[in-house]
Amino acid sequence: MEIESTFHMYVQPVIHPQLTPFCTELTGIIQAMVDGQPSLQQVLERVDEWMAKEGLLDPNVKSIFVTCGDWDLKIMLPGQCQYLGLPVADYFKQWINLKKAYSFAMGCWPKNGLLDMNKGLSLQHIGRPHSGIDDCKNIANIMKTLAYRGFIFKQTSKPF
């Protein structure tokens, strides 16, 4: 029930190489953090290498991504990969939507995502909202709390 390994990289934007003020205000990511970073293709290759190193690609190991909503893995990543002509790895095609899991466990929908889930579980929000790595820490903390309360997580995405 502890984080064993973390993967974190920034991606050099290609379609809109200049970050908008909205993006910076929302995420805290500034232009200097993405300039000169690897392309999405390179980062996805490094994700695959990390997953192999961690043993997550072993067919005897069960693993699944957890997201706060379906958008990231249902819409954004497949759309970006299609636009760039990149394949989507099979492990990105199934996930647990933490909002759905939380609503099953707690009986209410978290309209404000991680902020509502943390509040509903009396947890302190970690870091900055919409900062990818901070969101991951909050997701892990929420999952740990729900698991300690006896909730059994199941895949929520539909196969496609």
Side-chain angles (χ1 to χ4, degrees):
M1 297 298 270
E2 296 298 327
I3 296 172
E4 295 180 12
S5 180
T6 302
F7 179 90
H8 179 261
M9 290 190 79
Y10 291 105
V11 176
Q12 171 74 51
V14 181
I15 299 168
H16 300 287
Q18 286 300 123
L19 299 180
T20 64
F22 171 79
C23 178
T24 297
E25 288 169 26
L26 181 69
T27 65
I29 298 170
I30 61 171
Q31 193 67 43
M33 295 163 86
V34 297
D35 284 344
Q37 294 299 312
S39 67
L40 180 60
Q41 179 176 355
Q42 292 167 319
V43 170
L44 291 174
E45 289 167 0
R46 290 182 189 166
V47 167
D48 202 69
E49 292 165 4
W50 174 77
M51 290 190 62
K53 181 181 78 103
E54 295 299 324
L56 299 171
L57 301 182
D58 181 330
N60 298 316
V61 173
K62 289 184 76 172
S63 66
I64 192 165
F65 282 89
V66 181
T67 62
C68 184
D70 290 323
W71 187 82
D72 293 312
L73 293 180
K74 185 176 184 179
I75 306 295
M76 191 286 301
L77 185 64
Q80 190 74 18
C81 286
Q82 182 179 18
Y83 182 84
L84 297 172
L86 304 173
V88 177
D90 285 342
Y91 48 75
F92 285 127
K93 295 178 181 176
Q94 56 184 6
W95 61 90
I96 295 170
N97 175 345
L98 188 57
K99 289 180 184 178
K100 289 180 183 175
Y102 177 91
S103 71
F104 296 148
M106 302 296 287
C108 61
W109 185 259
K111 281 189 289 186
N112 291 310
L114 294 173
L115 295 172
D116 280 357
M117 289 185 268
N118 276 323
K119 185 176 180 182
L121 295 168
S122 300
L123 299 173
Q124 186 69 37
H125 190 85
I126 300 166
R128 179 186 184 115
H130 303 290
S131 164
I133 196 66
D134 290 342
D135 286 352
C136 290
K137 292 172 187 174
N138 283 290
I139 286 170
N141 206 21
I142 292 163
M143 289 190 74
K144 181 177 173 177
T145 302
L146 291 175
Y148 278 141
R149 292 181 178 197
F151 185 74
I152 306 295
F153 291 91
K154 293 182 173 78
Q155 176 180 332
T156 60
S157 63
K158 306 280 189 257
F160 57 95

